[in-house]
Amino acid sequence: MRQTVSNNARNGKPARRVLFYSHDTFGLGHLRRSRALAAALMDGDEDASAIILTGSPVAGRFTFPKGVDHIRLPGVTKLADGSYVAQTLGLDIDEVTSLRAGLIRTAIEEYTPDLLIVDKEPTGFRGELLPSLDWLRENGTTKVVLGLRDVLDEPEVLAAEWERKGAVEATETYYDEIWVYGMRDVYDPTKGLPLSQATHDRMHWTGYLRREAPDEVPPAEEPYVLITPGGGGDGAAMVSLVLDAYEQDPDLTPNAKLIYGPFLSGDVRDAFDARVAKLGGRVTALGFDSRIEQLYVGAEGVVCMGGYNTFCEVLSFDKRAVIVPRTVPRLEQWIRASRAEELGLVRMLEETRDGMTPQAMIAAIRNLPHQNKPSQAGADGLLDGLDVVVERGRALMGGGA
């Protein structure tokens, strides 16, 4: 049996080690959340280090904070029928899952983390995390945390998914704590899940994860609305609707800065670029900006989709926002945007109520200056997530707060 390295027994130094698991089969959300958490846990601790295990194909385009590195797991792609294939390796899905599972376990055995933080999926992609979780129960002193965003899906759909994956049993069995990166009085992502009282007692509601611009941002040369579909993989409809609005209303202001996201590309991106070029500078477009926080700072308002990280940025930078949530394959974004609108934090553009028409988007953009900022609805009280994560993380690693 492999020799187990106990907590704080490496070279006689109590250097904290944190490992993040982020399955990342689609979009940027899981990687960006893990990166924000890692930065907070490393801040002010010179002896600490963190590794993010990620399947994101664009992980290498991000900078990582001091003390933080990443290991790229072989990527997978979800097909239209719901099945998965390897992105590049030519392996079948069982082979690539086995390869990923082996890499995860090797990283855990060699790195011997004090804390493992698993993002969203208790068993990992197709159960790839289970061998490592079993090994840790038998051999390790690593504390294991399940991190959940504020909304997962509608309760009935989520309950069926977790039953199929064995996720409830895994949560009950392997996890020392569950951190919910939101507020109970906003939404409970575990609603409908048959979790025991003992597991509920291990849950900590952290609040949302505050974001900050990395550097001092100079004032914008002219007012603009920031348009962001997040990673962009499912953002073409929203982008097209915004361009429709500027095309049909030549007097629509402010001008727009559009960030497509790294997954909106190919012929769709080319067609959008051609439309942008005809707007005479009223809309400018970039493919990807790993420091998008700076663009939030200077924006008059935001038109965006309803992903978790985007929502945190809207709250953190106190921006008036119109959220256009996706409704497939999950209702997660719609639930988040609907609840946020009820609380007065944002405005939602909703298909059945407002209609997804250029006129509806024109009206929403024109109304942005008249919306309340999130802070006027108490958003500041929602943003303590990183402080709570640091407190809980250091407590679990034996270092106190």
Side-chain angles (χ1 to χ4, degrees), residues 45-62:
D45 191 341
E46 293 293 325
D47 294 324
S49 67
I51 295 176
I52 300 173
L53 301 173
T54 174
S56 173
V58 297
R61 297 171 68 176
F62 284 92

Side-chain angles (χ1 to χ4, degrees), residues 109-182:
E109 292 186 14
E110 295 296 332
Y111 187 56
T112 61
D114 301 286
L115 180 63
L116 169 64
I117 301 177
V118 174
D119 191 74
K120 181 182 173 286
E121 294 286 348
T123 63
F125 172 68
R126 300 183 83 245
E128 68 184 359
L129 198 56
L130 290 172
S132 293
L133 293 173
D134 280 328
W135 186 87
L136 284 171
R137 284 191 75 200
E138 298 297 325
N139 300 282
T141 60
T142 302
K143 297 295 185 182
V144 184
V145 169
L146 175 63
L148 301 177
R149 65 188 182 221
D150 61 336
V151 183
L152 296 173
D153 205 341
E154 53 187 322
E156 297 80 7
V157 174
L158 180 66
E161 178 186 338
W162 275 43
E163 181 179 8
R164 174 173 53 84
K165 294 179 176 179
V168 170
E169 181 181 359
T171 302
E172 300 271 352
T173 302
Y174 297 112
Y175 289 90
D176 296 289
E177 290 188 0
I178 298 92
W179 297 346
V180 181
Y181 306 128

Side-chain angles (χ1 to χ4, degrees), residues 33-299:
R33 184 159 52 247
S34 295
R35 182 168 161 263
L37 293 166
L41 283 165
M42 297 305 103
D43 188 36
D45 191 341
E46 293 293 325
D47 294 324
S49 67
I51 295 176
I52 300 173
L53 301 173
T54 174
S56 173
V58 297
R61 297 171 68 176
F62 284 92
T63 58
F64 289 86
K66 182 180 179 181
V68 182
D69 208 336
H70 72 285
I71 296 173
R72 168 80 158 88
L73 300 172
V76 296
T77 299
K78 190 173 186 177
L79 302 179
D81 64 2
S83 63
Y84 288 89
V85 295
Q87 283 179 344
T88 57
L89 296 181
L91 303 175
D92 67 36
I93 194 59
D94 290 332
E95 291 172 321
V96 77
T97 303
S98 178
L99 175 57
R100 286 168 55 112
L103 291 170
I104 293 165
R105 177 160 167 177
T106 296
I108 288 174
E109 292 186 14
E110 295 296 332
Y111 187 56
T112 61
D114 301 286
L115 180 63
L116 169 64
I117 301 177
V118 174
D119 191 74
K120 181 182 173 286
E121 294 286 348
T123 63
F125 172 68
R126 300 183 83 245
E128 68 184 359
L129 198 56
L130 290 172
S132 293
L133 293 173
D134 280 328
W135 186 87
L136 284 171
R137 284 191 75 200
E138 298 297 325
N139 300 282
T141 60
T142 302
K143 297 295 185 182
V144 184
V145 169
L146 175 63
L148 301 177
R149 65 188 182 221
D150 61 336
V151 183
L152 296 173
D153 205 341
E154 53 187 322
E156 297 80 7
V157 174
L158 180 66
E161 178 186 338
W162 275 43
E163 181 179 8
R164 174 173 53 84
K165 294 179 176 179
V168 170
E169 181 181 359
T171 302
E172 300 271 352
T173 302
Y174 297 112
Y175 289 90
D176 296 289
E177 290 188 0
I178 298 92
W179 297 346
V180 181
Y181 306 128
M183 302 289 286
R184 190 196 299 265
D185 56 1
V186 175
Y187 192 80
D188 181 356
T190 66
K191 184 164 50 176
L193 295 177
L195 297 171
S196 68
Q197 185 59 49
T199 296
H200 279 287
D201 291 343
R202 299 199 300 274
M203 291 177 63
H204 296 267
W205 299 78
T206 70
Y208 289 90
L209 306 178
R210 187 184 296 274
R211 307 303 165 85
E212 295 181 358
D215 301 305
E216 186 172 340
V217 181
E221 294 181 1
E222 60 181 24
Y224 65 88
V225 174
L226 176 64
I227 314 296
T228 170
D234 53 4
M238 188 203 81
V239 170
S240 185
L241 191 61
V242 169
L243 293 179
D244 286 341
Y246 279 89
E247 288 165 346
Q248 294 192 23
D249 186 346
D251 297 320
L252 183 59
T253 57
N255 291 347
K257 288 190 177 183
L258 166 61
I259 309 298
Y260 291 120
F263 301 114
L264 199 165
S265 57
D267 292 342
V268 175
R269 162 80 182 272
D270 292 342
F272 285 154
D273 280 340
R275 294 173 65 183
V276 167
K278 293 179 181 179
L279 286 168
R282 295 172 59 224
V283 178
T284 56
L286 291 174
F288 175 65
D289 193 327
S290 65
R291 297 157 69 91
I292 195 171
E293 295 89 350
Q294 294 183 330
L295 295 176
Y296 273 94
V297 172

